[in-house]
Amino acid sequence: MAATILLVEDEAGIQELVKFNLTQAGHAVLCADSAEQALAIVRDVLPDLVLLDWMLPGMSGIELARLFRADARLKSVPIIMLTARGDERDKVLGLETGADDYITKPFSPRELSARIKAVLRRRAPQMTEDKVEVRGLSLDPVSHRVTGNGTPLELGPTEFRLLHFMMTHPERVYSRAQLLDQVWGDHVFVEERTVDVHIRRLRLALEVTQHDNLIDTVRGAGYRLSSQI
Amino acid sequence: MAATILLVEDEAGIQELVKFNLTQAGHAVLCADSAEQALAIVRDVLPDLVLLDWMLPGMSGIELARLFRADARLKSVPIIMLTARGDERDKVLGLETGADDYITKPFSPRELSARIKAVLRRRAPQMTEDKVEVRGLSLDPVSHRVTGNGTPLELGPTEFRLLHFMMTHPERVYSRAQLLDQVWGDHVFVEERTVDVHIRRLRLALEVTQHDNLIDTVRGAGYRLSSQI
DNA sequence: TGCGTTTGTCACGAATTTGTCACATCTTCG
DNA sequence: CGAAGATGTGACAAATTCGTGACAAACGCA
């Protein structure tokens, strides 16, 4: 799982700390103090993953992420953003911009490592006809059946699609707007809070087999299906 | 086991030979000299199976196969590739064309017939004449009889075909549109809700032996024959 | 041709799903 | 603590989907 990671962080202390941890974990680390410097590095080396501080002097992290997403060569490089605590508006904005995950400072090396591992492991899973299974909860798109530890579970059409999407994209936070796009369809006129209601209905349906705790609420960001415990 | 087969082969001699054999076996044969002609034919008639020469003038067989696989209406039509030599067979296998089987020229009528039967059995079981049985409900395509736990059941022609298709594809949800294509046939102009009516008539007929609960309604998706309890 | 059967459509009501709101609860932070 | 913001929850009406009975056209057969 050794990867080349680009770290963009202006605070020297944090940069050193993170670099040390990542190097210990066997990754090759490239450091940049600013967005501009990151762009220069990226011209020569294509990283496997980008750790990006959202607050940077000069060009902000958001703008840099936008540039990355617009570039064909960098489009598919996962981005994890580093945010200050409670910076909730930025969380949503970041996810919308195309960040794959976020992590709030201060964070433990353990947490950072886990996130990186998760993001790297998840390439671009599609919603296929394949059966999906997460911690005893299984969903079969072909027969349209959902079972928790073998027990059949009843859920409505929307809840089914929602669960299918989340199970094929685990360990990733999706904002309400993103879920509306992916599950309801693009350009639909629906209140964002409607997602909450369907998440609740989904949890209610999964409660039968205690699988409702698979769905995490990520305050300020959205929802996530966690395959871990 | 009479099927409509599209044969795409540019060598006139082989085309005649194969056509003769297939016709003898009771199949209806459509012939095309080129991929382009095949596309024209397919616009009007949906074949049950395609026999496709690998090497064709103009668009190659592989390209044609890819086109078929990309088309929603043709996606599920089985394809058997005809190759000249064994090593070509390997090449074709290497390219992911989505062909269901391969047969190397020259081949005996016996071998061709066997391959066709095998592919149809796998991809379109309702074309075969095998007796089907699900949870005490049995259907015999040959004698055209249906019995529930031994008791003879009466159903109309359409209900019979519908039940046959569903029993040969259990644990799979089909939308009304898919059922119309598969049971009524391609290019038919029938209201989707008509399927509901026939499902009801089928359920009514199966009610005699309590087998009506085999057919599940999957709200927002379609219908499913459940082999489970 | 006449009669019984099959088939496709429709209209209506029942059942379910869906989106929204109001209010409760919880978290964060001054 | 208390305000502000975010999420959970129960209720509800509109919308959608499905089941069902009726009916006329099409069909098959003697």
Side-chain angles (χ1 to χ4, degrees):
Chain A
M1 188 64 94
T4 303
I5 298 179
L6 173 61
L7 170 63
V8 191
E9 168 63 65
D10 59 315
E11 290 178 59
I14 299 185
Q15 188 187 106
E16 270 308 313
L17 183 68
V18 173
K19 179 178 180 178
F20 176 77
N21 285 323
L22 293 179
T23 309
Q24 284 294 314
H27 301 292
V29 185
L30 306 165
C31 289
D33 299 321
S34 65
E36 289 77 6
Q37 198 183 341
L39 284 172
I41 292 176
V42 141
R43 256 199 299 277
D44 298 326
V45 186
L46 183 67
D48 297 311
L49 184 144
V50 180
L51 280 178
L52 184 53
D53 190 358
W54 230 226
M55 293 290 283
L56 288 172
M59 187 190 299
S60 77
I62 292 188
E63 289 175 83
L64 183 61
R66 285 227 179 84
L67 281 182
F68 277 17
R69 284 294 175 251
D71 185 315
R73 198 170 62 97
L74 300 168
K75 189 156 38 188
S76 60
V77 178
I79 297 175
I80 297 181
M81 60 171 166
L82 311 175
T83 71
R85 200 150 63 103
D87 222 348
E88 308 209 322
R89 224 168 315 166
D90 283 350
K91 286 184 192 173
V92 175
L93 193 54
L95 290 172
E96 302 297 326
T97 309
D100 291 76
D101 203 351
Y102 75 92
I103 195 167
T104 49
K105 294 189 277 192
F107 45 80
S108 66
R110 179 190 210 78
E111 186 182 1
L112 179 61
S113 177
R115 301 279 180 134
I116 289 176
K117 204 179 248 179
V119 168
L120 284 180
R121 182 152 28 81
R122 115 173 58 99
R123 281 305 172 210
Q126 300 294 320
M127 282 180 60
T128 60
E129 296 280 276
D130 299 331
K131 199 183 281 190
V132 208
E133 171 142 3
V134 175
R135 287 170 52 190
L137 181 68
S138 93
L139 178 149
D140 184 0
V142 173
S143 68
H144 223 269
R145 281 188 202 275
V146 179
T147 61
N149 305 323
T151 313
L153 299 174
E154 297 292 328
L155 39 157
T158 306
E159 283 74 55
F160 185 88
R161 290 199 310 276
L162 182 58
L163 180 61
H164 189 196
F165 177 78
M166 296 187 81
M167 287 184 75
T168 48
H169 300 80
E171 290 306 309
R172 164 158 185 172
V173 187
Y174 287 95
S175 69
R176 292 168 175 75
Q178 284 177 313
L179 288 174
L180 282 178
D181 279 354
Q182 298 285 338
V183 178
W184 273 254
D186 228 353
H187 313 304
V188 280
F189 173 62
V190 175
E191 278 296 322
E192 287 208 344
R193 291 298 311 277
T194 298
V195 174
D196 296 31
V197 179
H198 282 277
I199 286 283
R200 173 164 179 279
R201 286 168 180 162
L202 182 52
R203 280 172 170 156
L204 234 50
L206 301 183
E207 209 171 43
V208 181
T209 53
Q210 257 77 39
H211 280 104
D212 52 313
N213 50 35
L214 274 177
I215 299 169
D216 294 346
T217 301
V218 183
R219 191 162 238 273
Y223 295 97
R224 168 180 52 203
L225 187 135
S226 66
S227 56
Q228 309 176 30
I229 302 161
Chain B
M1 180 70 101
T4 304
I5 297 180
L6 172 63
L7 170 63
V8 192
E9 168 65 64
D10 58 317
E11 291 177 59
I14 299 185
Q15 188 186 106
E16 270 308 314
L17 183 68
V18 173
K19 180 178 181 179
F20 176 76
N21 285 323
L22 293 179
T23 309
Q24 284 295 313
H27 301 293
V29 185
L30 307 164
C31 288
D33 299 320
S34 66
E36 289 76 8
Q37 199 183 339
L39 285 171
I41 292 175
V42 139
R43 253 199 300 276
D44 296 327
V45 187
L46 184 68
D48 297 311
L49 185 145
V50 181
L51 281 176
L52 185 53
D53 191 0
W54 178 41
M55 290 289 282
L56 287 174
M59 187 190 298
S60 78
I62 293 180
E63 289 175 81
L64 184 60
R66 288 232 175 83
L67 279 183
F68 277 18
R69 285 292 174 256
D71 186 313
R73 196 169 68 95
L74 300 166
K75 189 159 40 187
S76 62
V77 178
I79 296 175
I80 297 181
M81 285 283 212
L82 310 175
T83 62
R85 300 184 310 279
D87 58 326
E88 285 184 354
R89 178 176 188 275
D90 296 337
K91 278 189 210 165
V92 176
L93 277 169
L95 306 166
E96 288 164 10
T97 56
D100 291 78
D101 203 352
Y102 308 84
I103 195 165
T104 309
K105 294 189 278 192
F107 44 80
S108 66
R110 179 190 210 77
E111 183 184 359
L112 180 61
S113 178
R115 298 271 181 159
I116 289 175
K117 206 176 229 173
V119 167
L120 283 181
R121 200 182 302 282
R122 193 169 55 228
R123 292 285 301 259
Q126 81 281 7
M127 297 286 308
T128 69
E129 296 177 340
D130 299 333
K131 204 181 283 188
V132 209
E133 167 139 6
V134 176
R135 287 167 55 188
L137 182 68
S138 88
L139 178 149
D140 184 0
V142 178
S143 68
H144 220 263
R145 257 181 233 291
V146 180
T147 61
N149 305 323
T151 316
L153 298 174
E154 296 295 325
L155 41 158
T158 306
E159 283 74 55
F160 184 86
R161 289 201 310 277
L162 181 57
L163 180 61
H164 189 195
F165 178 78
M166 295 188 80
M167 286 183 73
T168 47
H169 299 83
E171 284 306 302
R172 198 181 173 99
V173 177
Y174 287 96
S175 68
R176 291 167 175 76
Q178 286 176 311
L179 288 174
L180 282 178
D181 278 354
Q182 299 286 340
V183 178
W184 274 254
D186 197 38
H187 283 212
V188 281
F189 174 63
V190 176
E191 279 296 321
E192 288 208 344
R193 292 296 311 275
T194 298
V195 175
D196 296 31
V197 180
H198 283 276
I199 286 284
R200 174 166 177 278
R201 288 168 180 160
L202 182 52
R203 279 172 171 159
L204 236 49
L206 301 182
E207 210 171 41
V208 181
T209 53
Q210 257 77 37
H211 280 103
D212 54 313
N213 50 35
L214 274 178
I215 299 169
D216 294 345
T217 301
V218 183
R219 222 153 211 282
Y223 295 98
R224 167 187 58 202
L225 188 136
S226 69
S227 57
Q228 308 176 27
I229 302 160

